[in-house]
Amino acid sequence: MKIGIFGLDYVGIINAACFTKLGHNVIGCDIKEQKVEILKKGMSPIYEPNVNELLKEALDKGLLSATTNATEVVLKSDLLLICVGTPSFETGEVNLDFIFNTTKEIALALSGTDKKISIVYRSTMPPNTTEDFIRKILDQNLKNFKGNYKLAFYPEFLREGKAVDDFFNAPRIVIGSEDNNIDLIQELLSYNNQIPIVRTNTVTAEFVKYVDNCYHALKVAYVNEIYEIGKQYNVNIKLANDIFLLDRSLNISTAYLKPGLPFGGSCLPKDLRAITAMARKKKLDLPLLSSLLRSNQSSLLRLKDLIKATQKRKILFVGFTFKNFTDDYRESPILNLIEDLIKEQYMINIYDPDINLINFRIDKPSLLRSMETDLSSAINNVEVIVVSKRFMKEVVQNNLAKKLIINCSGYNEVGLENCINLY
């Protein structure tokens, strides 16, 4: 396949090296002549292990060339990879100037032709950029275009220092596109049958890159803050971290990485308060750890706003202990929300088969009158059902009158027109 790559910085160079290794013919393009001249010699303008060797091999095989002429690249290519920079403005917003200029050049080069081409973006961009920004630029600047183009977003997950291995042994490949029949793109990316390929829409593909990078940033900030506290209390940092990393069921795992309700229970809120108090005692400024309880409360307030937006006053909460398979309601976020709504004159019913009624009668006697033991009759007497635990299937089966459901126990429940998902 003939691939044109726009942008010869880090991502573009890695793609050039790796796709030529797979036997594709690559034409690199950049407005900076110096980068083009370096690539023409089979060399990389950036340092990355193994890249120079791959580029030299590609040049020797006649699989690599470079130019500053965008039209030449477009007309000679079957598929274009756009890898130009998307730096930040001072406000933090993404500067899409390079995307705009490159996209317009591509459209002008295609104008008047009957060429069929796939245009694939790898630059990190905010959600909706591909469809709301790029496609409009293409369509507005294509004149007398008799061919057709396929548009896709293909996020990169390349770590500096390990990029070549990340390319050939990726944990997954993501292709976002609203177009049908993107066979050429899938053919290009089906180079390792051990790598799962995920097809999705462009907005999801654009967003997952931010999910990855922000999570990586969070992990770095977290360990630096938590062990700064440990250092102040003479903890053996290496040993503590080794112990932390031994837990592969919770600490290094997929646990707690599904969006849903805020945390609660007898441990997490209490221990967060304790650790931040320890930090204050040592006069440490730890913004991340200090913000977690506030963030948790904000999450609960979003659910409260969602309930209020229904403009209904009769609410059934299905589940109110702090998580599934426990009768523990200590610092349960749902129970806190229930008590707030009662103060605001909402008519609240609650249902939870996990609850220990003897303890509940002692701890929360005023709420006992709101308890329901029969789900079907409870649903009939309310306007909105808030499901916070594992009982969604039972709720749907008993919701014969199709009352509005707010689902906090998961996301994307299929086939429920009367269901609002928290995520």
Side-chain angles (χ1 to χ4, degrees), residues 82 99 103 106 119-123 125 134 151-155:
I82 318 306
I99 294 289
T103 304
I106 292 168
I119 307 172
V120 182
Y121 285 75
R122 297 220 75 184
S123 305
M125 306 181 297
I134 290 169
L151 184 61
F153 183 78
Y154 163 37

Side-chain angles (χ1 to χ4, degrees), residues 17-37:
C18 293
F19 280 117
T20 53
K21 179 64 176 176
L22 293 169
H24 298 288
N25 195 310
V26 168
I27 312 171
C29 185
D30 201 288
I31 59 173
K32 294 181 179 179
E33 290 187 17
Q34 183 182 9
K35 290 182 181 180
V36 169
E37 292 304 315

Side-chain angles (χ1 to χ4, degrees), residues 10 17 185 232 280:
Y10 187 82
I185 300 168
Q232 296 296 323
R280 286 195 302 273

Side-chain angles (χ1 to χ4, degrees), residues 228-263:
E228 181 60 28
I229 297 174
K231 184 174 70 175
Q232 296 296 323
Y233 284 87
N234 299 316
V235 169
N236 182 328
I237 302 301
K238 182 185 183 305
L239 181 57
N241 198 51
D242 288 344
I243 294 168
F244 170 75
L245 295 175
L246 281 174
D247 184 346
R248 301 278 162 165
S249 62
L250 289 181
N251 294 346
I252 313 298
S253 71
T254 60
Y256 305 132
L257 288 177
K258 179 180 178 181
L261 287 173
F263 59 77

Side-chain angles (χ1 to χ4, degrees), residues 212-230:
D212 274 32
N213 278 359
C214 291
Y215 181 53
H216 301 159
L218 176 66
K219 289 192 287 186
V220 172
Y222 171 74
V223 294
N224 286 343
E225 284 199 5
I226 198 73
Y227 290 125
E228 181 60 28
I229 297 174

